[in-house]
Amino acid sequence: MDQYSSPDPEVMAFERGQMQFVRYATILLWVLVTLDILGFLGAIAGAIGLGLNVDDPTELIGQLVGIVCLGLMLLVFAVPQIAAAIGLRSGSKWAWYLTIGIGALYVLSCCNVLWGAALLFFMLNDEVRTTFQEI
């Protein structure tokens, strides 16, 4: 292949997925997914532990509704993070946009500001931004 021909898009996508800050963002997304899942499992364990001492069945129903709500939150937050992590590793532009959105949501939260700032820093770095905007 001569130097003036266009590069192979699959090779370019692989190279985007191997960039240092993209790898850091992917690792951070997997850590956040793990924390989401562990929080959900901890809530289930707590509800089961509280449910063993419940005399009134209406309290148990309230706990079950709480578990279902936590499960829906896990679905809403963890699935896009998993998709973004997988997409970033393959160098997809949509995953870059999704990760910026996830980082913005984390920055707006009261507890996870640093996670969001790190994701935004990784994705809006000059090298990463120009590479993904060239697609």
Side-chain angles (χ1 to χ4, degrees):
M1 177 164 60
D2 68 287
Q3 63 184 2
Y4 298 108
S5 65
S6 62
D8 185 12
E10 290 182 15
V11 173
M12 293 296 294
F14 177 76
E15 290 173 359
R16 284 190 304 270
Q18 296 302 315
M19 295 175 69
Q20 179 182 9
F21 285 123
V22 172
R23 285 192 318 232
Y24 291 161
T26 303
I27 291 168
L28 182 56
L29 285 168
W30 282 115
V31 167
L32 293 172
V33 167
T34 304
L35 291 175
D36 287 344
I37 292 172
L38 288 176
F40 178 67
L41 293 176
I44 289 176
I48 289 172
L50 290 174
L52 295 177
N53 299 325
V54 172
D55 295 330
D56 188 14
T58 57
E59 292 179 17
L60 185 61
I61 292 171
Q63 291 173 1
L64 291 175
V65 169
I67 290 173
V68 169
C69 290
L70 282 172
L72 290 175
M73 284 181 54
L74 176 72
L75 184 69
V76 167
F77 287 111
V79 171
Q81 290 176 15
I82 292 170
I86 292 170
L88 276 180
R89 286 303 275 178
S90 65
S92 300
K93 188 172 186 176
W94 62 265
W96 180 68
Y97 285 127
L98 184 59
T99 305
I100 291 173
I102 291 170
L105 287 176
Y106 273 120
V107 164
L108 296 174
S109 72
C110 61
C111 299
N112 300 314
V113 175
L114 293 177
W115 300 120
L119 282 174
L120 290 176
F121 174 75
F122 295 151
M123 292 295 100
L124 297 177
N125 183 8
D126 287 336
E127 180 185 2
V128 174
R129 186 180 68 240
T130 55
T131 304
F132 276 95
Q133 285 179 343
E134 290 175 355
I135 301 174

